[in-house]
Amino acid sequence: MRKRVVITGLGVVAPNAIGTSEFSKAIQEGRSGITFQPDLADLKFSCQIGGIPPITEEIKHQYFSDLQLHQLNSSGVVYGVVAGIEAWQNAGLSVAGEEPDWDSGIVFGTGMLGVDKFREAIYKVDQGQVRRLGSTVVIQTMTSGVSAYLGGMLGCGNQLTANSSACATGTEALLMAYDRIVTGSAKRMLAGSCSDHGPYIWGGFDAMRVLPYKYNQSPKRASRPLSATASGFVPGSGAGALVLESLESALERNATIYAEVLGGHVNSGGQRNGGSMTAPNSMAVQRCIQKAVEQAGIQVSDIDVIDGHLTATMKDPDEVRGWVNALQRSGADFPYINSLKSMVGHCLSAAGSIESVAAVLELHQGFIYPSINAEDLHPDITAMIAPEKIPQQRIRKDINVVAKANFGFGDVNACVILTKFQP
């Protein structure tokens, strides 16, 4: 018998806020976390802005010892640990004692982890200083580094792993955790993803000319999903984390239930029919959405809000068209649609998890966050859906179903259906 799966814990490290409570306020207010980055200007980047979480030394010391911080070069590890521990504590879960918690596991994904540590290691190896690399170089650069850190800190004894699927990583991690619980292989899973920041990660995108360069003096206006003047995505970083749990376990613990995961789907377009390494196959996008709806056991008319991928590139109208075709809903009948990237930028491998936290907060607290900087909606988009379906200000509204999707490099897609919990 398949288990019902609910979300009982949330944690977030985002460019516009640290911690779930402050993050909820920020996204409701439409607060941008995108700022000018002097180091990018010094390195002659065309795009000199980005979204970097305001993590302080005080916050770091709540999670790491002085010795750990002395050797810790990976911002992604810091972000992942902070978000993961917050989600675990938010769920009211304790740290395992001498014996591992066999019922709890972790799926925590990333894209490129520890690039600064790699750079440091390369210089020391080239200079013949291998013995001075330190003892943490491996765990800071291996893809499963955050899962390993969190697994040891929490004492999880179930599956401990990491995934990497470009921009779809966070949503895929959530669905991997869901699959583990729905089959009874685990009682609870910590799911999330993180992304480092900085010139060594963002430089490749700047070279591809997919980042905006006209807003270096007005960074908060730069990320413009759904807008006619969108000119590229603003790079961001951070981490999101969610505790998924069987309904039986959550009720037994009398845990707060933020939302229920009804199901979802993951697929690839095979880089066919217009799909490529950097562009999605529209047929695969539509199939991913339709299969997610089917697997969740809902009707397309049940969807109240779409939390889109929507990166502020020329592909935004194509994404909206994919939703219109997949759901067979348009005009005023189309669900509300928004993009968190308008406030935090594109957090790459962390995008799906941070945006999933936002979607769960919408369901639990009864609001739809705005897509800022979309005052000049793209005409191709307004030809398909009613302009009022793209909120410019927060809407206070009870909503029941959110469809959350991300589409990543390599022509990979992930879509999850979340709903308000009904006993």
Side-chain angles (χ1 to χ4, degrees), residues 71-79 110-122 136-146 149 194-197 200-201 349:
Q71 296 182 320
L72 202 54
N73 253 22
S74 172
S75 55
V77 169
V78 173
Y79 300 156
T110 190
M112 295 176 281
L113 191 66
V115 172
D116 284 334
K117 194 67 179 178
F118 263 126
R119 176 173 176 265
E120 177 187 303
I122 289 168
T136 66
V137 65
V138 174
I139 55 176
Q140 286 192 65
T141 55
M142 66 185 191
T143 304
S144 57
V146 178
Y149 262 104
C194 63
S195 179
D196 274 342
H197 66 259
Y200 300 104
I201 292 177
S349 53

Side-chain angles (χ1 to χ4, degrees), residues 171 305-309 323 341 351-353 355-356 359 402-406 414-418:
T171 306
V305 177
I306 294 166
D307 191 312
H309 188 55
W323 285 103
K341 292 180 181 70
S353 56
E355 292 161 12
S356 291
V402 174
K404 170 79 207 101
N406 291 94
C415 180
V416 63
I417 306 296
L418 305 167

Side-chain angles (χ1 to χ4, degrees), residues 30-278:
R31 190 191 312 162
S32 173
I34 297 167
T35 57
F36 178 72
Q37 304 296 327
D39 59 331
L40 301 184
D42 292 343
L43 292 168
K44 296 181 170 51
F45 273 53
S46 296
C47 176
Q48 301 168 4
I49 57 177
I52 297 179
I55 285 273
T56 63
E57 290 301 313
E58 182 182 0
I59 293 173
K60 291 180 185 178
H61 276 93
Q62 293 174 25
Y63 300 89
F64 300 97
S65 68
D66 287 340
L67 178 60
Q68 286 175 317
L69 289 174
H70 177 70
Q71 296 182 320
L72 202 54
N73 253 22
S74 172
S75 55
V77 169
V78 173
Y79 300 156
V81 167
V82 173
I85 296 295
E86 185 199 2
W88 200 255
Q89 293 174 342
N90 182 246
L93 293 166
S94 58
V95 173
E98 285 299 309
E99 185 173 344
D101 178 357
W102 306 115
D103 296 319
S104 299
I106 300 173
V107 182
F108 216 101
T110 190
M112 295 176 281
L113 191 66
V115 172
D116 284 334
K117 194 67 179 178
F118 263 126
R119 176 173 176 265
E120 177 187 303
I122 289 168
Y123 279 127
K124 286 186 177 179
V125 170
D126 287 349
Q127 293 166 3
Q129 300 179 31
V130 178
R131 294 183 182 277
R132 295 185 61 188
L133 284 176
S135 61
T136 66
V137 65
V138 174
I139 55 176
Q140 286 192 65
T141 55
M142 66 185 191
T143 304
S144 57
V146 178
S147 292
Y149 262 104
L150 287 168
M153 295 168 91
L154 301 174
C156 295
N158 207 280
Q159 184 183 25
L160 204 71
T161 190
N163 66 308
S164 188
S165 299
C167 315
T169 298
T171 306
E172 182 186 70
L174 191 158
L175 287 170
M176 289 173 68
Y178 167 82
D179 287 341
R180 188 84 180 157
I181 298 168
V182 83
T183 58
S185 298
K187 284 187 178 180
R188 63 197 71 84
M189 295 289 291
L190 177 60
S193 63
C194 63
S195 179
D196 274 342
H197 66 259
Y200 300 104
I201 292 177
W202 295 348
F205 297 109
D206 199 68
M208 290 172 67
R209 300 184 181 180
V210 294
L211 309 184
Y213 60 88
K214 297 179 180 179
Y215 297 93
N216 292 336
Q217 306 307 314
S218 51
K220 297 189 187 309
R221 295 181 56 241
S223 187
R224 310 181 66 79
L226 302 159
S227 164
T229 49
S231 58
F233 74 81
V234 177
S237 60
L242 307 94
V243 173
L244 279 68
E245 188 166 1
S246 71
L247 175 59
E248 183 182 40
S249 173
L251 293 177
E252 191 177 280
R253 296 193 307 110
N254 196 29
T256 297
I257 296 176
Y258 292 101
E260 182 171 0
V261 184
L262 292 181
H265 191 68
V266 175
N267 76 357
S268 168
Q271 299 180 40
R272 303 292 193 272
N273 297 315
S276 69
M277 186 62 75
T278 59

